[in-house]
């Protein structure tokens, strides 16, 4: 079974086509990177897949569950690190994490245990009691990511996860993501091409709501006759080298 | 389970703001003291029962619950604008989980608030009888109107607008039209008609009659309040569900 199958997935805002007839299949355990200039439709795609907005047309099936007809089943399997950091400001790190775990059905004991694990994983030790609102934006980002991972999702959406992270934190996050590879299906968007080269199995390039190219990094370079991913991207995203 | 976890989080969020403490608990008490002092200076021959403690206590108990609209509305609105709610929208939480999860903490706040207001009124001469408990319960029930209004406003507006509407407009409208601060009979006319149509005056009367031991007399008043409450909650649920399926938390 594929992890994600999108068929004719479309989102219109009024007359504006934000996502245009997306057909895409992503295998289980695959890390799929979505690449595209600002406004290409990456976040809109992720919002549809995570049941935040309803598609105007088409459907997506996540591990056998349709986002149109079985959103509740989908929601149990997924988690997301939204493009904007999303934490409860007046709650501490531990409270944010345990709340998230609990809302996805973990009992108190398991929530506490998983919280300890992701706290270590994201370098938040010693700050368990600190309220999220007193954090720097990079630290809030880490907490937001930890909240996505604490529920052990089978499908994970990471919308620009490393935005605002320092170099060390970014490398650590890469390591965390690598550790998930093969087990968790991940859709990742980013504007950092080295991140894509370091992490992704396959890349899809979006431009004006359409998927314009798809393949491994090597394949995209080959397809465009370029030696650098950046040059390949510029061509595929509709610019000129 | 999800509801309780979420309700617990919302309780923390409200209680960790000290301003909420002042408005939630302190403000009704300040008014109680002020208006009692005014009452003491009204000469008995004026025969004005307006600010006697039997009138003041239920009035201020109701007035205190107006702030639940502000708390609920601000909380929901802030959750929307910080995209925390967007994250929760991708979780298995249902609209019911959200609405009840936002409502329960407010009810839990009204209980001690009303209790403290009545007990403080006891110090100022209110006779504390077995009717106190039903009066507290009725106050809690009538507070649902304001919680619903808060959730409706919080679903539709940003936190500044909610602060203005629920904090300034609603407190004034509910305050003046409740008959607590000015005698409706004395003013009469359109003002009195309006007060009779709107639920605020009836909330106070409902609480007052129960406090006086006349439960059956309170029912007509409470029915009016409940009708408004049901309508407001329906609108709030519709507005919230629209936000939830629109993705624009
Ligand atoms: N709620 C909305 N109403 C109207 N238009 C919208 C809405 N949300 C997004 N859009 C439009 O849809 C297009 C795609 O937006 P989207 O956020 O998916 O882009 P993106 O690829 O994630 O860009 P970025 O790299 O800047 O995050 C944009 O032109 C945007 O203006
Ligand atoms: Mg985006």
């Amino acid at each position: 079974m594929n992890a994600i199958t999108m068929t004719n997935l479309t989102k219109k805002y009024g007359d504006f086509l934000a996502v245009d007839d997306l057909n895409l299949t992503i295998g289980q355990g695959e890390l799929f990177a979505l690449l595209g200039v600002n406004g290409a439709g990456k976040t809109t795609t992720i919002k549809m897949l995570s049941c935040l907005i309803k598609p105007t047309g088409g459907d997506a099936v996540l591990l056998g569950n349709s986002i149109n007809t079985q959103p509740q089943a989908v929601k149990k399997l997924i988690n997301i690190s939204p493009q904007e950091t999303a934490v409860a400001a007046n709650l501490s790190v531990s409270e944010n994490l345990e709340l998230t775990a609990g809302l996805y059905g973990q009992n108190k004991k398991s929530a506490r245990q998983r919280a300890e694990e992701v706290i270590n994983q994201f370098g938040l030790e010693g700050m368990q009691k600190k309220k999220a609102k007193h954090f720097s934006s990079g630290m809030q980002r880490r907490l937001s990511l930890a909240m996505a991972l604490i529920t052990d999702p089978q499908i994970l959406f990471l919308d620009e996860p490393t935005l605002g992270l320092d170099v060390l934190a970014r490398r650590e996050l890469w390591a965390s993501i690598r550790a998930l590879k093969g087990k968790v299906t991940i859709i990742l968007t980013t504007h950092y091409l080295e991140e894509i080269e370091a992490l992704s199995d396959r890349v899809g390039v979006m431009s004006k709501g359409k998927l314009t190219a798809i393949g491994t990094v090597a394949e995209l370079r080959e397809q465009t006759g370029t030696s650098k991913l950046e040059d390949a991207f510029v061509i595929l995203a509709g610019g000129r080298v | 389970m999800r509801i309780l976890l979420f309700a617990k989080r919302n309780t923390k969020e409200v209680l960790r703001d000290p301003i909420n403490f002042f408005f939630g608990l302190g403000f009704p008490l300040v008014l109680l003291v002020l208006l009692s002092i005014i009452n003491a200076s009204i000469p008995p021959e004026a025969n004005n029962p307006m600010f006697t403690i039997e009138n003041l206590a239920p009035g201020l108990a109701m007035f205190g619950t107006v702030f639940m609209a502000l708390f609920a509305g601000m909380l929901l609105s802030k959750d929307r604008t910080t995209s925390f709610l967007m994250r929760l929208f991708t979780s298995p939480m249902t609209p019911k989980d959200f609405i009840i999860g936002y409502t329960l903490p407010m009810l839990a706040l009204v209980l001690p608030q009303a209790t403290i207001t009545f007990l403080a009124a006891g110090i100022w001469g209110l006779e504390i009888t077995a009717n106190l408990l039903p009066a507290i319960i009725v106050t809690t029930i009538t507070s649902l109107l304001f919680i619903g209004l808060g959730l409706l406003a919080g679903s539709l507006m940003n936190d500044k607008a909610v602060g203005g509407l629920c904090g300034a407009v609603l407190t004034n409208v509910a305050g003046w039209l409740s008959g607590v601060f000015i005698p409706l009979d004395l003013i009469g006319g359109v003002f009195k008609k309006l007060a009779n149509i709107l639920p605020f005056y009836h909330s106070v009367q409902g609480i007052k009659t129960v406090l006086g031991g006349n439960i059956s007399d309170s029912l007509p008043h409470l029915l009016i309040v409940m009708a408004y409450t049901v309508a407001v909650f329906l609108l709030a649920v519709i507005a919230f569900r629209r936000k939830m399926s629109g993705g624009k938390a």
Side-chain angles (χ1 to χ4, degrees), chain A residues 13 16 18 36-45 83 160 191, chain B residues 248:
Chain A
Y13 289 111
F16 179 76
V37 295
N38 295 135
K42 306 178 295 292
T43 298
T44 307
T45 304
Q83 182 164 349
E160 303 195 25
H191 293 295
Chain B
K248 268 194 299 177

Side-chain angles (χ1 to χ4, degrees), chain A residues 19 27 36 55 63 72 84 102 120 122 137 139 174 183 185-186 211 218:
Chain A
V19 172
L63 295 168
Q72 207 54 28
E84 289 95 27
N120 291 328
F122 286 91
S137 63
M139 296 304 283
W174 286 8
K183 291 174 239 158
T185 308
I186 301 175
L211 199 64

Side-chain angles (χ1 to χ4, degrees), chain A residues 33-58:
Chain A
L34 267 183
L35 205 54
V37 295
N38 295 135
K42 306 178 295 292
T43 298
T44 307
T45 304
I46 286 185
K47 281 187 174 172
M48 284 191 279
L49 295 177
S50 55
C51 308
L52 268 173
I53 53 176
K54 293 216 159 63
T56 328

